[in-house]
Amino acid sequence: MSDPIILLLFLVLLSSAEGAPLRQSFYSESCPGAETTVRDVVRRAMAREARAAASVMRLQFHDCFVNGCDGSVLLDETPEMAGEKAALSNINSLRSFEVVDEIKDALEMSCPGIVSCADILIMAARDAVFLSGGPKWEVKLGREDSLTASQEDSNGIMPSPRTNATSLIALFTKFNLSVQDLVALSGTHSIGQGRCFSIVFRLYNQSGSGLPDPAMDPQYWAELSRLCPLGGDEEVTGGLDATPQRFDNQYFKDLVRGRGFLNSDQTLTSLPETRKYVEIFSKNEKRFFEALVEGMIKLGDLQSGKPGEIRRNCRVVNGFSDDQLVKTK
C-alpha cells in the first residue's frame, strides 16, 4: 500500500470520529456487567496461561491500525474474503482468539446483541495490562463491528519486527500518534513472548552483514543464540523483556542496556527523539504508565466511519454459518 493511500486512510479515520462518538460507561444501562464479565474471562485465561495477557492485548493493536478499531482482525477467512489473520504480521503470530470467543459467549448469554467485538478487544487489552501489574483506565466504548476484513490493508500497514525507528515514527505520525505515543505503546512489550523467527536475522545476519546486530549487548546475544541457534526451531519463544509476565518499565531498562528482543524494539534507542523517551521511561515507571494510558486511548479512538453491526459471533459477520469458514485458533 502506498503512502498516499495510508494517509487517506488516516484522514478517513480522523474525520469519522465525530460521526460515531465513543464514551465511557457506554454499556452502563444496556449491559451493566459487561466490563466485569470481560475482566473475569481475561483473568481466567491468564490463570490458564500467563502469556494470554500479552496475546489478548496485542489484538487491539493489530485491529485498530487496520481500518480502525472495528474487530476486523477477528474475522475468519471466507472464499470471498482474505482475512487479516493470515496477513504477514499476523499469521502464526496472533493468538488467543479463543479468549475473545469466551468473552463474547458470556456476554451473549447475559446481553445478547449488545456488546461489539471491537469493544471487547478494547476492554480486554486494558484488563490484560491491569491484571499484569500495569495501570488501569476508563475506556471509551460504543464501536460497531466491521462487515469485512482486508488482508491487503494489514500487509500494507502493520510493521514487521525488522522495522527501524524512522519508519515507525512515520507510521505513527500518519495516525496522529506522537513519538511519545510510539515509545509508550511499544512498552506493551513489557509482557509477552517473541519467536526466534523474528530475531534470527539480528543474531546472525543483521542488514545482510553476516554479523549480529551491533546494538545488541554481547552477553544478551550469547543468551539468545543458545535459545535460537542458527538452523534451529524458529517457533521457540523467549521473553520480550526480563520480566515477561509483569507489566512494568523493565522493557525500557533492557533497551538502554542493548537487551531489546526485537529489532523494532531496540531501534527505539537509535534516534535522539525516541531514545529520549526510552530513557525517561526506564527511570520513571509512573511517567511510562501515564503516557501508555494516553496512547492507548488515542489508539482506541481510531475509527473507519464505515457501516457496521454488533456481531453475534466475533469470527463471522451476522448471517454467515460456521461451515462457510475455516476457524483460526
Side-chain angles (χ1 to χ4, degrees), residues 20-49:
L22 306 174
R23 58 182 173 84
Q24 296 177 7
S25 304
F26 183 85
Y27 297 110
S28 60
E29 296 183 5
S30 60
C31 190
E35 295 195 45
T36 299
T37 296
V38 174
R39 184 171 296 122
D40 286 346
V41 174
V42 172
R43 183 182 287 111
R44 290 198 298 270
M46 291 172 59
R48 293 193 298 265
E49 181 194 28

Side-chain angles (χ1 to χ4, degrees), residues 10 61 64-65 168-183 185 291 294-302:
F10 162 62
F61 287 82
C64 292
F65 268 122
L168 288 171
I169 291 173
L171 172 63
F172 274 63
T173 298
K174 288 169 183 172
F175 288 95
N176 203 30
L177 295 167
S178 67
V179 173
Q180 176 179 285
D181 295 328
L182 161 62
V183 179
L185 291 172
E294 180 180 340
M296 290 291 278
I297 291 173
K298 289 168 70 174
L299 179 65
D301 282 344
L302 297 178

Side-chain angles (χ1 to χ4, degrees), residues 105-154:
D105 288 346
L107 290 171
E108 287 296 301
M109 289 288 292
S110 57
C111 312
I114 299 296
V115 182
S116 69
C117 301
D119 278 346
I120 288 174
L121 292 183
I122 298 296
M123 290 184 279
R126 182 268 312 270
D127 295 336
V129 170
F130 173 66
L131 294 172
S132 299
K136 181 180 180 182
W137 65 95
E138 294 296 322
V139 291
K140 291 186 284 185
L141 303 169
R143 298 164 188 80
E144 291 187 337
D145 298 319
S146 69
L147 303 177
T148 188
S150 177
Q151 186 178 124
E152 179 183 4
D153 287 350
S154 183

Side-chain angles (χ1 to χ4, degrees), residues 49 54 63 97 142 154 175 182 206 213 265 285:
E49 181 194 28
D63 186 42
F97 294 107
S154 183
F175 288 95
L182 161 62
Q206 178 78 332
D213 181 356
D265 292 327
E285 187 174 79

Side-chain angles (χ1 to χ4, degrees), residues 1-10 156-157 167 170-171 174:
M1 178 177 290
S2 64
D3 283 351
I5 295 178
I6 295 180
L7 180 57
L8 176 61
L9 169 63
F10 162 62
I157 294 171
S167 297
L171 172 63
K174 288 169 183 172

Side-chain angles (χ1 to χ4, degrees), residues 25-94:
S25 304
F26 183 85
Y27 297 110
S28 60
E29 296 183 5
S30 60
C31 190
E35 295 195 45
T36 299
T37 296
V38 174
R39 184 171 296 122
D40 286 346
V41 174
V42 172
R43 183 182 287 111
R44 290 198 298 270
M46 291 172 59
R48 293 193 298 265
E49 181 194 28
R51 189 183 173 192
S55 301
V56 168
M57 177 182 61
R58 189 174 175 220
L59 291 172
Q60 177 182 342
F61 287 82
H62 288 247
D63 186 42
C64 292
F65 268 122
V66 181
N67 298 318
C69 308
D70 60 2
S72 59
V73 74
L74 301 173
L75 287 173
D76 285 339
E77 184 173 347
T78 73
E80 295 79 26
M81 182 194 74
E84 294 167 24
K85 292 179 178 179
L88 295 175
S89 61
N90 300 342
I91 191 168
N92 299 323
S93 180
L94 287 189

Side-chain angles (χ1 to χ4, degrees), residues 228-242:
C228 307
L230 189 61
D233 183 356
E234 294 189 350
E235 295 304 309
V236 170
T237 62
L240 292 175
D241 77 355

